[in-house]
Amino acid sequence: IPRGVDPQHDEKRNRMWEELHALYAAGAFSFPEGSMSQFVFPDAQIFLDKHGKESVVVTKGGLDLAFQKGKVKSSGVETLVARTEYVQRDDSKGELLKSLLAEYPAPYLFVDDFAKELASVADLCPEVSLYEIRRDGMPGSGGYAVIRSLLELP
């Protein structure tokens, strides 16, 4: 179920994340090096192998960024990209992206699976081409070009 469609599902999902964050903060588990690499989508691996040094990963953390940083570090993705940036749960990716654009040459592409983040980038960074990634086969939100794989990017 896509985020924002079923409030009960979103509430359960949020509770689950809160519990995971609490366990992580308490030291109940960690992300050993490489343990999250199995969760990197195959198309993302291929894309990053080819374009990673020209790419910035912008990822949103939940309750605390340490959890998100642990996951990303353990995935190995950070070694493939120019930079990784983290956004707090209540902040928008658009705000961060706006501050980064001056550091990198155009053209700019932004891919996300959450229409709210795409909207924040559209509002603040009109020079960025936007793509809604829907690996689940569902239709997009209707406001952005839909791709099913990063390999479909121009």
Side-chain angles (χ1 to χ4, degrees):
I1 299 172
R3 289 177 280 186
V5 173
D6 178 355
Q8 287 183 328
H9 180 268
D10 288 349
E11 187 178 318
K12 288 178 186 176
R13 182 178 188 273
N14 288 339
R15 278 197 312 268
M16 178 201 66
W17 282 115
E18 288 171 6
E19 290 174 21
L20 284 173
H21 279 264
L23 289 168
Y24 185 79
F29 70 94
S30 63
F31 298 107
E33 186 175 334
S35 66
M36 297 301 286
S37 63
Q38 64 185 318
F39 298 106
V40 176
F41 288 102
D43 66 299
Q45 185 70 50
I46 293 167
F47 179 87
L48 292 174
D49 286 343
K50 185 173 182 181
H51 302 288
K53 294 303 178 193
E54 305 157 5
S55 301
V56 176
V57 170
V58 178
T59 184
K60 186 171 266 195
L63 301 173
D64 90 61
L65 292 180
F67 183 82
Q68 189 71 1
K69 288 178 180 181
K71 288 191 321 182
V72 173
K73 183 176 182 186
S74 176
S75 75
V77 166
E78 284 187 322
T79 64
L80 301 174
V81 297
R83 177 175 181 169
T84 304
E85 291 289 336
Y86 298 88
V87 178
Q88 291 287 110
R89 177 167 78 169
D90 294 330
D91 295 337
S92 78
K93 290 182 181 180
E95 285 288 339
L96 175 66
L97 200 60
K98 182 178 177 182
S99 71
L100 291 176
L101 293 183
E103 299 178 38
Y104 297 93
Y108 307 111
L109 305 175
F110 180 77
V111 179
D112 207 286
D113 62 345
F114 197 23
K116 181 178 177 182
E117 296 300 343
L118 291 161
S120 78
V121 174
D123 288 345
L124 297 169
C125 311
E127 64 271 52
V128 176
S129 298
L130 302 172
Y131 296 88
E132 183 174 357
I133 191 159
R134 295 304 310 243
R135 288 189 172 94
D136 60 6
M138 299 294 289
S141 64
Y144 312 98
V146 174
I147 59 172
R148 307 289 176 194
S149 162
L150 292 176
L151 303 179
E152 296 175 38
L153 289 170

PDB file of all heavy atoms in Angstrom, residues 91-127:
ATOM      1  N   ASP A  91      11.380  17.267   7.590  1.00  0.00           N
ATOM      2  CA  ASP A  91      11.911  18.217   6.611  1.00  0.00           C
ATOM      3  C   ASP A  91      11.679  17.684   5.204  1.00  0.00           C
ATOM      4  O   ASP A  91      11.426  16.495   5.010  1.00  0.00           O
ATOM      5  CB  ASP A  91      13.405  18.441   6.849  1.00  0.00           C
ATOM      6  CG  ASP A  91      13.681  19.118   8.187  1.00  0.00           C
ATOM      7  OD1 ASP A  91      12.780  19.795   8.724  1.00  0.00           O
ATOM      8  OD2 ASP A  91      14.806  18.953   8.698  1.00  0.00           O
ATOM      9  N   SER A  92      11.794  18.572   4.219  1.00  0.00           N
ATOM     10  CA  SER A  92      11.572  18.152   2.835  1.00  0.00           C
ATOM     11  C   SER A  92      12.900  17.951   2.113  1.00  0.00           C
ATOM     12  O   SER A  92      13.888  18.626   2.397  1.00  0.00           O
ATOM     13  CB  SER A  92      10.725  19.178   2.085  1.00  0.00           C
ATOM     14  OG  SER A  92      11.510  20.293   1.706  1.00  0.00           O
ATOM     15  N   LYS A  93      12.888  17.038   1.201  1.00  0.00           N
ATOM     16  CA  LYS A  93      14.064  16.823   0.369  1.00  0.00           C
ATOM     17  C   LYS A  93      14.291  18.014  -0.551  1.00  0.00           C
ATOM     18  O   LYS A  93      15.424  18.309  -0.928  1.00  0.00           O
ATOM     19  CB  LYS A  93      13.924  15.524  -0.434  1.00  0.00           C
ATOM     20  CG  LYS A  93      14.001  14.284   0.435  1.00  0.00           C
ATOM     21  CD  LYS A  93      13.897  13.020  -0.404  1.00  0.00           C
ATOM     22  CE  LYS A  93      13.958  11.772   0.459  1.00  0.00           C
ATOM     23  NZ  LYS A  93      13.847  10.542  -0.342  1.00  0.00           N
ATOM     24  N   GLY A  94      13.223  18.716  -0.908  1.00  0.00           N
ATOM     25  CA  GLY A  94      13.345  19.884  -1.777  1.00  0.00           C
ATOM     26  C   GLY A  94      14.222  20.963  -1.178  1.00  0.00           C
ATOM     27  O   GLY A  94      15.041  21.571  -1.874  1.00  0.00           O
ATOM     28  N   GLU A  95      14.070  21.224   0.109  1.00  0.00           N
ATOM     29  CA  GLU A  95      14.895  22.235   0.789  1.00  0.00           C
ATOM     30  C   GLU A  95      16.371  21.877   0.685  1.00  0.00           C
ATOM     31  O   GLU A  95      17.209  22.722   0.381  1.00  0.00           O
ATOM     32  CB  GLU A  95      14.496  22.366   2.256  1.00  0.00           C
ATOM     33  CG  GLU A  95      13.203  23.095   2.494  1.00  0.00           C
ATOM     34  CD  GLU A  95      13.291  24.596   2.253  1.00  0.00           C
ATOM     35  OE1 GLU A  95      14.403  25.173   2.283  1.00  0.00           O
ATOM     36  OE2 GLU A  95      12.235  25.186   2.016  1.00  0.00           O
ATOM     37  N   LEU A  96      16.693  20.639   0.969  1.00  0.00           N
ATOM     38  CA  LEU A  96      18.082  20.206   0.899  1.00  0.00           C
ATOM     39  C   LEU A  96      18.599  20.277  -0.530  1.00  0.00           C
ATOM     40  O   LEU A  96      19.689  20.785  -0.792  1.00  0.00           O
ATOM     41  CB  LEU A  96      18.235  18.785   1.442  1.00  0.00           C
ATOM     42  CG  LEU A  96      19.637  18.200   1.296  1.00  0.00           C
ATOM     43  CD1 LEU A  96      20.636  18.966   2.156  1.00  0.00           C
ATOM     44  CD2 LEU A  96      19.648  16.749   1.642  1.00  0.00           C
ATOM     45  N   LEU A  97      17.808  19.761  -1.461  1.00  0.00           N
ATOM     46  CA  LEU A  97      18.241  19.741  -2.855  1.00  0.00           C
ATOM     47  C   LEU A  97      18.512  21.149  -3.365  1.00  0.00           C
ATOM     48  O   LEU A  97      19.496  21.386  -4.079  1.00  0.00           O
ATOM     49  CB  LEU A  97      17.188  19.040  -3.709  1.00  0.00           C
ATOM     50  CG  LEU A  97      17.655  18.529  -5.052  1.00  0.00           C
ATOM     51  CD1 LEU A  97      18.770  17.513  -4.894  1.00  0.00           C
ATOM     52  CD2 LEU A  97      16.513  17.927  -5.816  1.00  0.00           C
ATOM     53  N   LYS A  98      17.683  22.084  -2.995  1.00  0.00           N
ATOM     54  CA  LYS A  98      17.857  23.483  -3.424  1.00  0.00           C
ATOM     55  C   LYS A  98      19.241  23.986  -3.019  1.00  0.00           C
ATOM     56  O   LYS A  98      19.914  24.657  -3.794  1.00  0.00           O
ATOM     57  CB  LYS A  98      16.766  24.350  -2.802  1.00  0.00           C
ATOM     58  CG  LYS A  98      16.825  25.792  -3.212  1.00  0.00           C
ATOM     59  CD  LYS A  98      15.679  26.567  -2.580  1.00  0.00           C
ATOM     60  CE  LYS A  98      15.777  28.029  -2.945  1.00  0.00           C
ATOM     61  NZ  LYS A  98      14.714  28.809  -2.298  1.00  0.00           N
ATOM     62  N   SER A  99      19.677  23.639  -1.829  1.00  0.00           N
ATOM     63  CA  SER A  99      20.987  24.088  -1.353  1.00  0.00           C
ATOM     64  C   SER A  99      22.140  23.363  -2.051  1.00  0.00           C
ATOM     65  O   SER A  99      23.265  23.871  -2.079  1.00  0.00           O
ATOM     66  CB  SER A  99      21.082  23.927   0.160  1.00  0.00           C
ATOM     67  OG  SER A  99      21.165  22.564   0.518  1.00  0.00           O
ATOM     68  N   LEU A 100      21.888  22.188  -2.617  1.00  0.00           N
ATOM     69  CA  LEU A 100      22.956  21.410  -3.257  1.00  0.00           C
ATOM     70  C   LEU A 100      23.180  21.759  -4.728  1.00  0.00           C
ATOM     71  O   LEU A 100      24.282  21.535  -5.250  1.00  0.00           O
ATOM     72  CB  LEU A 100      22.628  19.917  -3.179  1.00  0.00           C
ATOM     73  CG  LEU A 100      22.670  19.251  -1.825  1.00  0.00           C
ATOM     74  CD1 LEU A 100      22.212  17.802  -1.939  1.00  0.00           C
ATOM     75  CD2 LEU A 100      24.068  19.319  -1.242  1.00  0.00           C
ATOM     76  N   LEU A 101      22.177  22.285  -5.399  1.00  0.00           N
ATOM     77  CA  LEU A 101      22.260  22.458  -6.852  1.00  0.00           C
ATOM     78  C   LEU A 101      23.445  23.308  -7.290  1.00  0.00           C
ATOM     79  O   LEU A 101      24.054  23.032  -8.325  1.00  0.00           O
ATOM     80  CB  LEU A 101      20.960  23.037  -7.409  1.00  0.00           C
ATOM     81  CG  LEU A 101      19.745  22.113  -7.319  1.00  0.00           C
ATOM     82  CD1 LEU A 101      18.546  22.780  -7.960  1.00  0.00           C
ATOM     83  CD2 LEU A 101      20.009  20.769  -7.958  1.00  0.00           C
ATOM     84  N   ALA A 102      23.793  24.324  -6.536  1.00  0.00           N
ATOM     85  CA  ALA A 102      24.900  25.203  -6.919  1.00  0.00           C
ATOM     86  C   ALA A 102      26.243  24.470  -6.926  1.00  0.00           C
ATOM     87  O   ALA A 102      27.197  24.919  -7.569  1.00  0.00           O
ATOM     88  CB  ALA A 102      24.966  26.399  -5.974  1.00  0.00           C
ATOM     89  N   GLU A 103      26.305  23.341  -6.248  1.00  0.00           N
ATOM     90  CA  GLU A 103      27.560  22.597  -6.155  1.00  0.00           C
ATOM     91  C   GLU A 103      27.790  21.615  -7.303  1.00  0.00           C
ATOM     92  O   GLU A 103      28.877  21.045  -7.410  1.00  0.00           O
ATOM     93  CB  GLU A 103      27.607  21.831  -4.831  1.00  0.00           C
ATOM     94  CG  GLU A 103      27.544  22.720  -3.613  1.00  0.00           C
ATOM     95  CD  GLU A 103      27.553  21.918  -2.319  1.00  0.00           C
ATOM     96  OE1 GLU A 103      28.278  20.895  -2.263  1.00  0.00           O
ATOM     97  OE2 GLU A 103      26.839  22.312  -1.379  1.00  0.00           O
ATOM     98  N   TYR A 104      26.772  21.401  -8.129  1.00  0.00           N
ATOM     99  CA  TYR A 104      26.857  20.391  -9.173  1.00  0.00           C
ATOM    100  C   TYR A 104      26.378  20.954 -10.502  1.00  0.00           C
ATOM    101  O   TYR A 104      25.450  21.773 -10.531  1.00  0.00           O
ATOM    102  CB  TYR A 104      26.004  19.163  -8.794  1.00  0.00           C
ATOM    103  CG  TYR A 104      26.503  18.496  -7.542  1.00  0.00           C
ATOM    104  CD1 TYR A 104      25.993  18.829  -6.291  1.00  0.00           C
ATOM    105  CD2 TYR A 104      27.529  17.565  -7.604  1.00  0.00           C
ATOM    106  CE1 TYR A 104      26.475  18.234  -5.131  1.00  0.00           C
ATOM    107  CE2 TYR A 104      28.016  16.963  -6.450  1.00  0.00           C
ATOM    108  CZ  TYR A 104      27.485  17.309  -5.221  1.00  0.00           C
ATOM    109  OH  TYR A 104      27.977  16.728  -4.075  1.00  0.00           O
ATOM    110  N   PRO A 105      26.961  20.476 -11.606  1.00  0.00           N
ATOM    111  CA  PRO A 105      26.535  20.976 -12.921  1.00  0.00           C
ATOM    112  C   PRO A 105      25.203  20.360 -13.357  1.00  0.00           C
ATOM    113  O   PRO A 105      24.889  19.229 -13.004  1.00  0.00           O
ATOM    114  CB  PRO A 105      27.673  20.530 -13.844  1.00  0.00           C
ATOM    115  CG  PRO A 105      28.248  19.316 -13.183  1.00  0.00           C
ATOM    116  CD  PRO A 105      28.093  19.542 -11.698  1.00  0.00           C
ATOM    117  N   ALA A 106      24.425  21.132 -14.107  1.00  0.00           N
ATOM    118  CA  ALA A 106      23.191  20.632 -14.705  1.00  0.00           C
ATOM    119  C   ALA A 106      23.567  19.655 -15.816  1.00  0.00           C
ATOM    120  O   ALA A 106      24.708  19.662 -16.277  1.00  0.00           O
ATOM    121  CB  ALA A 106      22.372  21.796 -15.235  1.00  0.00           C
ATOM    122  N   PRO A 107      22.652  18.815 -16.266  1.00  0.00           N
ATOM    123  CA  PRO A 107      21.235  18.735 -15.913  1.00  0.00           C
ATOM    124  C   PRO A 107      21.034  17.972 -14.606  1.00  0.00           C
ATOM    125  O   PRO A 107      21.882  17.192 -14.173  1.00  0.00           O
ATOM    126  CB  PRO A 107      20.623  17.965 -17.087  1.00  0.00           C
ATOM    127  CG  PRO A 107      21.740  17.087 -17.577  1.00  0.00           C
ATOM    128  CD  PRO A 107      23.013  17.880 -17.330  1.00  0.00           C
ATOM    129  N   TYR A 108      19.879  18.211 -14.004  1.00  0.00           N
ATOM    130  CA  TYR A 108      19.545  17.605 -12.720  1.00  0.00           C
ATOM    131  C   TYR A 108      18.341  16.673 -12.873  1.00  0.00           C
ATOM    132  O   TYR A 108      17.341  17.044 -13.484  1.00  0.00           O
ATOM    133  CB  TYR A 108      19.180  18.672 -11.692  1.00  0.00           C
ATOM    134  CG  TYR A 108      20.218  19.747 -11.535  1.00  0.00           C
ATOM    135  CD1 TYR A 108      19.961  21.037 -11.959  1.00  0.00           C
ATOM    136  CD2 TYR A 108      21.451  19.470 -10.948  1.00  0.00           C
ATOM    137  CE1 TYR A 108      20.908  22.042 -11.798  1.00  0.00           C
ATOM    138  CE2 TYR A 108      22.402  20.466 -10.792  1.00  0.00           C
ATOM    139  CZ  TYR A 108      22.130  21.752 -11.228  1.00  0.00           C
ATOM    140  OH  TYR A 108      23.062  22.735 -11.064  1.00  0.00           O
ATOM    141  N   LEU A 109      18.459  15.494 -12.277  1.00  0.00           N
ATOM    142  CA  LEU A 109      17.362  14.529 -12.217  1.00  0.00           C
ATOM    143  C   LEU A 109      17.136  14.188 -10.759  1.00  0.00           C
ATOM    144  O   LEU A 109      18.093  14.043  -9.996  1.00  0.00           O
ATOM    145  CB  LEU A 109      17.711  13.245 -12.966  1.00  0.00           C
ATOM    146  CG  LEU A 109      18.144  13.335 -14.418  1.00  0.00           C
ATOM    147  CD1 LEU A 109      18.557  11.955 -14.919  1.00  0.00           C
ATOM    148  CD2 LEU A 109      17.044  13.897 -15.274  1.00  0.00           C
ATOM    149  N   PHE A 110      15.869  14.021 -10.399  1.00  0.00           N
ATOM    150  CA  PHE A 110      15.537  13.608  -9.040  1.00  0.00           C
ATOM    151  C   PHE A 110      14.514  12.496  -9.134  1.00  0.00           C
ATOM    152  O   PHE A 110      13.510  12.616  -9.834  1.00  0.00           O
ATOM    153  CB  PHE A 110      14.964  14.785  -8.236  1.00  0.00           C
ATOM    154  CG  PHE A 110      14.589  14.424  -6.824  1.00  0.00           C
ATOM    155  CD1 PHE A 110      15.562  14.278  -5.846  1.00  0.00           C
ATOM    156  CD2 PHE A 110      13.263  14.214  -6.473  1.00  0.00           C
ATOM    157  CE1 PHE A 110      15.219  13.937  -4.536  1.00  0.00           C
ATOM    158  CE2 PHE A 110      12.903  13.884  -5.175  1.00  0.00           C
ATOM    159  CZ  PHE A 110      13.885  13.747  -4.204  1.00  0.00           C
ATOM    160  N   VAL A 111      14.770  11.412  -8.423  1.00  0.00           N
ATOM    161  CA  VAL A 111      13.895  10.238  -8.434  1.00  0.00           C
ATOM    162  C   VAL A 111      13.452   9.969  -7.002  1.00  0.00           C
ATOM    163  O   VAL A 111      14.270   9.954  -6.081  1.00  0.00           O
ATOM    164  CB  VAL A 111      14.638   8.999  -8.982  1.00  0.00           C
ATOM    165  CG1 VAL A 111      13.733   7.773  -8.957  1.00  0.00           C
ATOM    166  CG2 VAL A 111      15.182   9.261 -10.380  1.00  0.00           C
ATOM    167  N   ASP A 112      12.155   9.737  -6.827  1.00  0.00           N
ATOM    168  CA  ASP A 112      11.646   9.381  -5.500  1.00  0.00           C
ATOM    169  C   ASP A 112      10.385   8.553  -5.688  1.00  0.00           C
ATOM    170  O   ASP A 112       9.754   8.602  -6.740  1.00  0.00           O
ATOM    171  CB  ASP A 112      11.344  10.641  -4.680  1.00  0.00           C
ATOM    172  CG  ASP A 112      11.466  10.380  -3.174  1.00  0.00           C
ATOM    173  OD1 ASP A 112      10.549   9.724  -2.628  1.00  0.00           O
ATOM    174  OD2 ASP A 112      12.446  10.818  -2.564  1.00  0.00           O
ATOM    175  N   ASP A 113      10.031   7.808  -4.643  1.00  0.00           N
ATOM    176  CA  ASP A 113       8.804   7.007  -4.685  1.00  0.00           C
ATOM    177  C   ASP A 113       7.670   7.673  -3.920  1.00  0.00           C
ATOM    178  O   ASP A 113       6.589   7.099  -3.806  1.00  0.00           O
ATOM    179  CB  ASP A 113       9.050   5.599  -4.145  1.00  0.00           C
ATOM    180  CG  ASP A 113       9.478   5.586  -2.683  1.00  0.00           C
ATOM    181  OD1 ASP A 113       9.860   6.639  -2.143  1.00  0.00           O
ATOM    182  OD2 ASP A 113       9.446   4.502  -2.083  1.00  0.00           O
ATOM    183  N   PHE A 114       7.893   8.870  -3.425  1.00  0.00           N
ATOM    184  CA  PHE A 114       6.898   9.549  -2.601  1.00  0.00           C
ATOM    185  C   PHE A 114       6.549  10.885  -3.254  1.00  0.00           C
ATOM    186  O   PHE A 114       7.401  11.776  -3.368  1.00  0.00           O
ATOM    187  CB  PHE A 114       7.466   9.731  -1.199  1.00  0.00           C
ATOM    188  CG  PHE A 114       6.457  10.051  -0.130  1.00  0.00           C
ATOM    189  CD1 PHE A 114       5.120   9.739  -0.244  1.00  0.00           C
ATOM    190  CD2 PHE A 114       6.889  10.664   1.033  1.00  0.00           C
ATOM    191  CE1 PHE A 114       4.215  10.033   0.756  1.00  0.00           C
ATOM    192  CE2 PHE A 114       5.996  10.959   2.052  1.00  0.00           C
ATOM    193  CZ  PHE A 114       4.650  10.642   1.900  1.00  0.00           C
ATOM    194  N   ALA A 115       5.299  11.027  -3.694  1.00  0.00           N
ATOM    195  CA  ALA A 115       4.859  12.224  -4.422  1.00  0.00           C
ATOM    196  C   ALA A 115       5.077  13.501  -3.610  1.00  0.00           C
ATOM    197  O   ALA A 115       5.362  14.556  -4.181  1.00  0.00           O
ATOM    198  CB  ALA A 115       3.396  12.090  -4.833  1.00  0.00           C
ATOM    199  N   LYS A 116       4.966  13.423  -2.295  1.00  0.00           N
ATOM    200  CA  LYS A 116       5.167  14.608  -1.457  1.00  0.00           C
ATOM    201  C   LYS A 116       6.591  15.142  -1.611  1.00  0.00           C
ATOM    202  O   LYS A 116       6.814  16.354  -1.650  1.00  0.00           O
ATOM    203  CB  LYS A 116       4.878  14.251   0.001  1.00  0.00           C
ATOM    204  CG  LYS A 116       5.023  15.407   0.958  1.00  0.00           C
ATOM    205  CD  LYS A 116       4.676  14.980   2.377  1.00  0.00           C
ATOM    206  CE  LYS A 116       4.902  16.117   3.361  1.00  0.00           C
ATOM    207  NZ  LYS A 116       4.617  15.708   4.734  1.00  0.00           N
ATOM    208  N   GLU A 117       7.573  14.254  -1.701  1.00  0.00           N
ATOM    209  CA  GLU A 117       8.958  14.691  -1.886  1.00  0.00           C
ATOM    210  C   GLU A 117       9.171  15.257  -3.277  1.00  0.00           C
ATOM    211  O   GLU A 117       9.873  16.253  -3.457  1.00  0.00           O
ATOM    212  CB  GLU A 117       9.930  13.551  -1.615  1.00  0.00           C
ATOM    213  CG  GLU A 117       9.919  13.054  -0.201  1.00  0.00           C
ATOM    214  CD  GLU A 117      10.280  14.109   0.853  1.00  0.00           C
ATOM    215  OE1 GLU A 117      10.848  15.167   0.518  1.00  0.00           O
ATOM    216  OE2 GLU A 117       9.991  13.854   2.034  1.00  0.00           O
ATOM    217  N   LEU A 118       8.558  14.634  -4.272  1.00  0.00           N
ATOM    218  CA  LEU A 118       8.651  15.158  -5.627  1.00  0.00           C
ATOM    219  C   LEU A 118       8.048  16.561  -5.705  1.00  0.00           C
ATOM    220  O   LEU A 118       8.609  17.453  -6.342  1.00  0.00           O
ATOM    221  CB  LEU A 118       7.960  14.212  -6.611  1.00  0.00           C
ATOM    222  CG  LEU A 118       8.678  12.876  -6.804  1.00  0.00           C
ATOM    223  CD1 LEU A 118       7.739  11.837  -7.391  1.00  0.00           C
ATOM    224  CD2 LEU A 118       9.922  13.048  -7.660  1.00  0.00           C
ATOM    225  N   ALA A 119       6.929  16.764  -5.025  1.00  0.00           N
ATOM    226  CA  ALA A 119       6.281  18.076  -5.010  1.00  0.00           C
ATOM    227  C   ALA A 119       7.177  19.119  -4.345  1.00  0.00           C
ATOM    228  O   ALA A 119       7.250  20.269  -4.806  1.00  0.00           O
ATOM    229  CB  ALA A 119       4.935  17.993  -4.304  1.00  0.00           C
ATOM    230  N   SER A 120       7.867  18.733  -3.278  1.00  0.00           N
ATOM    231  CA  SER A 120       8.747  19.695  -2.602  1.00  0.00           C
ATOM    232  C   SER A 120       9.890  20.107  -3.517  1.00  0.00           C
ATOM    233  O   SER A 120      10.291  21.270  -3.534  1.00  0.00           O
ATOM    234  CB  SER A 120       9.273  19.130  -1.276  1.00  0.00           C
ATOM    235  OG  SER A 120      10.320  18.209  -1.453  1.00  0.00           O
ATOM    236  N   VAL A 121      10.403  19.179  -4.304  1.00  0.00           N
ATOM    237  CA  VAL A 121      11.471  19.507  -5.250  1.00  0.00           C
ATOM    238  C   VAL A 121      10.911  20.350  -6.391  1.00  0.00           C
ATOM    239  O   VAL A 121      11.522  21.343  -6.799  1.00  0.00           O
ATOM    240  CB  VAL A 121      12.160  18.229  -5.775  1.00  0.00           C
ATOM    241  CG1 VAL A 121      13.162  18.562  -6.867  1.00  0.00           C
ATOM    242  CG2 VAL A 121      12.845  17.486  -4.628  1.00  0.00           C
ATOM    243  N   ALA A 122       9.727  20.000  -6.887  1.00  0.00           N
ATOM    244  CA  ALA A 122       9.108  20.779  -7.968  1.00  0.00           C
ATOM    245  C   ALA A 122       8.903  22.227  -7.547  1.00  0.00           C
ATOM    246  O   ALA A 122       9.161  23.156  -8.324  1.00  0.00           O
ATOM    247  CB  ALA A 122       7.779  20.143  -8.375  1.00  0.00           C
ATOM    248  N   ASP A 123       8.465  22.437  -6.326  1.00  0.00           N
ATOM    249  CA  ASP A 123       8.196  23.792  -5.829  1.00  0.00           C
ATOM    250  C   ASP A 123       9.466  24.618  -5.670  1.00  0.00           C
ATOM    251  O   ASP A 123       9.465  25.818  -5.938  1.00  0.00           O
ATOM    252  CB  ASP A 123       7.486  23.741  -4.472  1.00  0.00           C
ATOM    253  CG  ASP A 123       6.044  23.276  -4.573  1.00  0.00           C
ATOM    254  OD1 ASP A 123       5.493  23.266  -5.697  1.00  0.00           O
ATOM    255  OD2 ASP A 123       5.481  22.909  -3.526  1.00  0.00           O
ATOM    256  N   LEU A 124      10.536  23.990  -5.221  1.00  0.00           N
ATOM    257  CA  LEU A 124      11.748  24.731  -4.870  1.00  0.00           C
ATOM    258  C   LEU A 124      12.861  24.673  -5.917  1.00  0.00           C
ATOM    259  O   LEU A 124      13.773  25.491  -5.892  1.00  0.00           O
ATOM    260  CB  LEU A 124      12.287  24.220  -3.534  1.00  0.00           C
ATOM    261  CG  LEU A 124      11.342  24.424  -2.346  1.00  0.00           C
ATOM    262  CD1 LEU A 124      11.822  23.655  -1.136  1.00  0.00           C
ATOM    263  CD2 LEU A 124      11.211  25.913  -2.034  1.00  0.00           C
ATOM    264  N   CYS A 125      12.770  23.704  -6.813  1.00  0.00           N
ATOM    265  CA  CYS A 125      13.853  23.484  -7.782  1.00  0.00           C
ATOM    266  C   CYS A 125      13.260  23.220  -9.174  1.00  0.00           C
ATOM    267  O   CYS A 125      13.333  22.092  -9.674  1.00  0.00           O
ATOM    268  CB  CYS A 125      14.719  22.309  -7.355  1.00  0.00           C
ATOM    269  SG  CYS A 125      15.269  22.322  -5.645  1.00  0.00           S
ATOM    270  N   PRO A 126      12.690  24.230  -9.805  1.00  0.00           N
ATOM    271  CA  PRO A 126      12.017  23.994 -11.095  1.00  0.00           C
ATOM    272  C   PRO A 126      12.951  23.517 -12.203  1.00  0.00           C
ATOM    273  O   PRO A 126      12.479  22.966 -13.204  1.00  0.00           O
ATOM    274  CB  PRO A 126      11.402  25.355 -11.424  1.00  0.00           C
ATOM    275  CG  PRO A 126      12.151  26.339 -10.599  1.00  0.00           C
ATOM    276  CD  PRO A 126      12.623  25.617  -9.379  1.00  0.00           C
ATOM    277  N   GLU A 127      14.251  23.677 -12.028  1.00  0.00           N
ATOM    278  CA  GLU A 127      15.209  23.254 -13.039  1.00  0.00           C
ATOM    279  C   GLU A 127      15.511  21.748 -12.993  1.00  0.00           C
ATOM    280  O   GLU A 127      16.245  21.226 -13.820  1.00  0.00           O
ATOM    281  CB  GLU A 127      16.507  24.055 -12.915  1.00  0.00           C
ATOM    282  CG  GLU A 127      17.271  23.839 -11.617  1.00  0.00           C
ATOM    283  CD  GLU A 127      16.882  24.769 -10.470  1.00  0.00           C
ATOM    284  OE1 GLU A 127      15.687  24.880 -10.148  1.00  0.00           O
ATOM    285  OE2 GLU A 127      17.802  25.350  -9.879  1.00  0.00           O
TER     286      GLU A 127
END
